[in-house]
Amino acid sequence: MRLEKSTLKDNETINISGSKSISNRLLILSALFENLTIENLSNSQDTQLLQKALESEGEIIDIHHAGTAMRFLTSYLSIQEGRTTVLTGSDRMKQRPIQYLVDALRNLGADISYLEKEGFPPLKIVGKKLEKRAVSIPADISSQFISSLMLIGSKLENGLEINLVGKITSRPYLEMTLKVLRNVGIANQWEDQIITIFPNIQSDKSSQITKCITESDWSSASYFYSLAAIGRKSINLKSFRPHSLQGDSVIKEIYWDFFGVNTISQGSESKISLMPESTFVFPELISLDMNDCPDIAQTLCVTATALKTPFEITGLSTLKVKETDRLVALKNELFKIGCISEITEESIYSTKFFEPNEITSIETYDDHRMAMSFAPFCLIKALTIENKNVVEKSYPQFWEDFDIVTKTIL
């Protein structure tokens, strides 16, 4: 997709669908407890794939690129007594490690085996009753491994006690899972390094229906914060709550502190307005630990590059095992838009900005966030985004919404 040099329209309004993270958690819970109904479900490809997988009775489930679905289904299928399933995905999915989750489930008594490479999908899962109630798992791995265990905890006869070993990564995502569980009536607690999920004693087909309304997605909102920061005009986003379950809602504070974008909440309309301060003085350096919100790091780096603001971002170790190695991809593509950067195993920092003569295509590496995080740079220079359809993974209507708030400079 060719994005010509554009300007930001002022005060346009868009409506982003439900959070993918919350939707996927609720889908697992609604499959476990049939008295749940979900409104404002995410329309992302990941959520649709998970929904389809949960409705499937087939022996083979292919979740393609959907990493969350792979992790959540691994635990879910392990407790489906009497059912045998092969859980597989794309070539990239077969390169994404899952051993820590499988080891934890095996320690609880699950019957899971690797069909190809040890430690990686595809998996053969024979569902059975898990009778053990305590397990240990490293805390510095993907939070989705831990959330996957938390989601099935209340279906175990004695509940589940999870001992988190080491430094905790992406804490807000774990807190989100606990809040989602509490919202549907599942008791839990988190003390020090131990998360406890108490058993749910209600009937699966309880007559009392719990309605869950999914709040809109803050990760998707980040791209419009980037547009507002670069274009210095206001944007309105509907269906957002001032107090969110999502860790990525920290985008409000980050973009206020470093780019002067104020978030004004209009609670009566469930709407927020992103309003850049005209007199804001940009910092000499953005120094930030994004361990709790790694999914918005790409957006931040592109915004900083567009505004030529030096940055040092740490806490990004999980980016190396996402849809692609996001740190390598980010370094490669930032160079194309005028930023020389260096990376470590868990950080990225700018070393020099320069004026690119001509921007070639931005490669997306089959990663939805690469496409969407680089798109706002068209407010600086025209650019081409390869494989525009990759956005369907999390935000299918992104390009339509992008067109609502931007206008090509003729």
Side-chain angles (χ1 to χ4, degrees):
M1 168 178 279
R2 174 74 175 178
L3 298 177
E4 299 298 339
K5 190 172 189 304
S6 302
T7 186
L8 186 63
K9 300 177 188 176
D10 193 28
N11 208 33
E12 293 290 341
T13 301
I14 59 171
N15 192 359
I16 296 174
S17 80
S19 159
K20 176 166 71 80
S21 296
I22 295 176
S23 292
N24 290 345
R25 284 160 173 77
L26 287 173
L27 280 175
I28 293 292
L29 292 173
S30 67
L32 293 172
F33 303 102
E34 297 176 9
N35 62 326
L36 302 183
T37 63
I38 309 171
E39 294 184 6
N40 195 33
L41 196 67
S42 169
N43 61 1
S44 67
Q45 186 181 68
D46 273 17
T47 297
Q48 292 172 358
L49 284 166
L50 178 56
Q51 191 170 25
K52 182 180 177 181
L54 289 168
E55 293 169 352
S56 170
E57 297 180 356
E59 295 181 3
I60 299 176
I61 293 178
D62 185 347
I63 50 75
H64 304 286
H65 290 304
T68 307
M70 170 61 71
R71 289 147 183 177
F72 287 2
L73 285 170
T74 298
S75 295
Y76 171 81
L77 291 169
S78 72
I79 63 169
Q80 301 306 302
E81 295 180 48
R83 178 178 178 182
T84 299
T85 313
V86 172
L87 183 60
T88 188
S90 65
D91 288 342
R92 172 57 184 166
M93 186 58 62
K94 294 178 181 181
Q95 298 169 7
R96 298 179 70 174
I98 199 167
Q99 183 166 355
Y100 287 119
L101 176 57
V102 171
D103 286 350
L105 288 165
R106 283 175 168 175
N107 287 338
L108 289 170
D111 185 349
I112 305 173
S113 54
Y114 300 110
L115 295 180
E116 294 180 12
K117 185 178 178 182
E118 188 77 9
F120 297 83
L123 307 173
K124 180 182 178 182
I125 304 172
V126 180
K128 57 183 291 192
K129 182 178 181 179
L130 305 186
E131 297 182 348
K132 296 182 181 178
R133 71 171 304 269
V135 70
S136 295
I137 189 168
D140 61 350
I141 54 171
S142 170
S143 62
Q144 290 178 7
F145 291 175
I146 302 165
S147 287
S148 177
L149 295 169
M150 291 159 66
L151 289 171
I152 66 165
S154 66
K155 288 293 286 187
L156 306 188
E157 186 174 359
N158 299 306
L160 183 61
E161 182 179 283
I162 305 170
N163 178 30
L164 305 177
V165 181
K167 180 183 176 182
I168 298 170
T169 298
S170 301
R171 178 182 289 268
Y173 285 97
L174 301 180
E175 292 173 343
M176 176 202 296
T177 306
L178 291 174
K179 289 175 184 175
V180 169
L181 289 169
R182 285 196 290 271
N183 286 347
V184 302
I186 296 170
N188 58 72
Q189 67 181 32
W190 187 351
E191 295 183 354
D192 297 324
Q193 297 284 115
I194 296 179
I195 294 173
T196 304
I197 312 297
F198 296 100
N200 190 286
I201 59 175
Q202 70 177 12
S203 167
D204 288 1
K205 298 185 182 298
S206 168
S207 58
Q208 184 176 359
I209 301 296
T210 301
K211 182 172 72 172
C212 304
I213 302 175
T214 310
E215 59 180 277
S216 290
D217 189 71
W218 279 98
S219 303
S220 297
S222 71
Y223 314 116
F224 297 93
Y225 274 87
S226 184
L227 283 165
I230 300 168
R232 312 312 291 177
K233 293 178 183 175
S234 64
I235 301 174
N236 305 308
L237 306 178
K238 294 183 69 175
S239 299
F240 282 88
R241 302 173 187 172
H243 305 290
S244 172
L245 299 177
Q246 302 169 61
D248 285 348
S249 64
V250 74
I251 195 81
K252 295 179 295 184
E253 288 74 30
I254 291 174
Y255 270 69
W256 169 247
D257 291 343
F258 298 114
F259 303 117
V261 177
N262 199 2
T263 303
I264 308 298
S265 177
Q266 301 177 42
S268 60
E269 300 181 42
S270 295
K271 182 173 75 172
I272 57 173
S273 297
L274 320 184
M275 307 189 71
E277 294 287 329
S278 59
T279 58
F280 181 74
V281 178
F282 289 90
E284 293 184 3
L285 175 68
I286 298 171
S287 182
L288 199 58
D289 182 344
M290 299 187 77
N291 179 69
D292 287 346
C293 54
D295 280 348
I296 55 179
Q298 290 149 291
T299 311
L300 179 74
C301 290
V302 173
T303 309
T305 298
L307 297 171
K308 291 185 167 51
T309 305
F311 57 86
E312 294 178 353
I313 312 299
T314 60
L316 304 179
S317 59
T318 60
L319 293 193
K320 298 189 74 63
V321 291
K322 295 288 187 175
E323 284 76 357
T324 184
D325 182 334
R326 284 181 175 165
L327 287 174
V328 171
L330 195 51
K331 177 183 178 181
N332 292 344
E333 304 312 302
L334 285 175
F335 181 78
K336 295 178 182 177
I337 64 171
C339 175
I340 299 173
S341 60
E342 296 295 334
I343 59 174
T344 69
E345 288 296 304
E346 61 94 44
S347 69
I348 184 167
Y349 56 94
S350 61
T351 59
K352 181 181 179 181
F353 296 114
F354 64 95
E355 195 65 32
N357 293 327
E358 182 179 345
I359 297 175
T360 56
S361 294
I362 300 299
E363 188 175 341
T364 56
Y365 305 81
D366 288 325
D367 183 351
H368 53 131
R369 299 202 189 282
M370 288 297 291
M372 294 184 286
S373 61
F374 276 83
F377 197 81
C378 74
L379 299 181
I380 304 297
K381 281 183 178 291
L383 70 161
T384 298
I385 303 289
E386 294 182 10
N387 190 11
K388 67 172 186 175
N389 293 331
V390 75
V391 302
E392 292 177 1
K393 179 177 174 62
S394 64
Y395 191 171
Q397 79 277 17
F398 174 75
W399 298 118
E400 289 83 354
D401 289 347
F402 192 82
D403 284 343
I404 291 173
V405 299
T406 59
K407 180 174 64 174
T408 299
I409 298 175
L410 301 175

